[in-house]
Amino acid sequence: MCLGRDSLDGPHVCGLAEEVFAAIPLPCVVWPRDGRRAVLVNPAFQREFGTSRGRAGPAWLASHLAPTDEADEFLFRDRHAAPRRYRVTRQVIDVPPTAFDAVFLMPLPDASRVADEPAAAPVACLPPGVTLTRRESQVLDGIMCGKLNKVIAGELHISPKTVELHRANLMAKLRVHNAVELARAVLDMPPRMDEPATA
């Protein structure tokens, strides 16, 4: 991302801007006022929505966020995820010669969940003490349904590499080495007698 640079000798705020936005725990997307595509999507936005800089921007926000009766509150709807509410804050960043729009999305607590939102019914039950992110849970459900990484990626609108990353995180959290061990850990199935135990 570049938030303005007149010359090589002039001010250059790009690196600082990227570090600042990356450190913000709230999902955030930034685009030029005269542009349609995002120039920055912070890691929190990518984790929350599985959307990269190439797809995010004002059009993506307009198609996924609907206003509610509350001021500055929006409902996120996606066919692959349960509806969620966010408080949305806009900020203009003026870095001559360009101005940028930044949008911050603060997830609202579970107490304000949508009334018609169905309760999550995960395919898998986790052992005590193991917590997963929303995206890890979605990937785990896909794995437990026997879906390939590329199928899970297509359903969640993320890349197969991202699915592989979530899969690796799942295996690390559950201390397993392959999909069979993962299923056993989740379903709490003891190993069969005719199979060797893994160390």
Side-chain angles (χ1 to χ4, degrees):
M1 171 186 104
C2 190
L3 292 183
R5 184 177 195 163
D6 294 334
S7 71
L8 291 176
D9 298 326
H12 182 52
V13 296
C14 300
L16 177 60
E18 288 178 2
E19 288 181 28
V20 168
F21 282 102
I24 295 172
L26 298 177
C28 174
V29 58
V30 179
W31 65 87
R33 287 216 115 168
D34 58 354
R36 295 184 181 149
R37 299 191 74 162
V39 293
L40 183 140
V41 171
N42 74 345
F45 189 95
Q46 291 177 335
R47 282 191 305 273
E48 187 77 11
F49 302 108
T51 301
S52 65
R53 184 173 63 189
R55 291 180 45 217
W60 186 92
L61 291 171
S63 67
H64 287 82
L65 294 172
T68 66
D69 295 334
E70 300 293 324
D72 299 326
E73 188 175 295
F74 288 78
L75 180 64
F76 171 77
R77 288 203 183 267
D78 184 79
R79 60 188 171 135
H80 298 291
R84 297 184 305 279
R85 291 183 185 268
Y86 293 87
R87 177 118 17 243
V88 175
T89 305
R90 287 182 174 265
Q91 180 69 44
V92 175
I93 303 169
D94 192 14
V95 183
T98 308
F100 296 84
D101 282 314
V103 172
F104 303 89
L105 297 104
M106 182 178 72
L108 295 175
D110 288 341
S112 63
R113 290 175 72 158
V114 183
D116 64 348
E117 179 183 338
V123 172
C125 297
L126 294 173
V130 176
T131 58
L132 303 180
T133 66
R134 179 183 60 86
R135 203 49 108 183
E136 286 170 347
S137 296
Q138 292 170 333
V139 170
L140 177 60
D141 286 344
I143 293 168
M144 297 303 292
C145 288
K147 296 176 182 174
L148 299 173
N149 284 357
K150 64 181 178 181
V151 173
I152 297 169
E155 290 177 351
L156 299 178
H157 300 294
I158 57 178
S159 73
K161 289 280 189 191
T162 304
V163 173
E164 289 174 19
L165 176 65
H166 289 306
R167 192 177 187 132
N169 290 341
L170 285 166
M171 291 188 182
K173 285 182 177 183
L174 294 168
R175 298 180 183 177
V176 296
H177 301 94
N178 57 48
V180 174
E181 290 179 5
L182 179 65
R184 283 201 181 116
V186 169
L187 298 174
D188 199 23
M189 292 171 43
R192 290 185 355 210
M193 298 306 266
D194 60 342
E195 292 181 355
T198 56

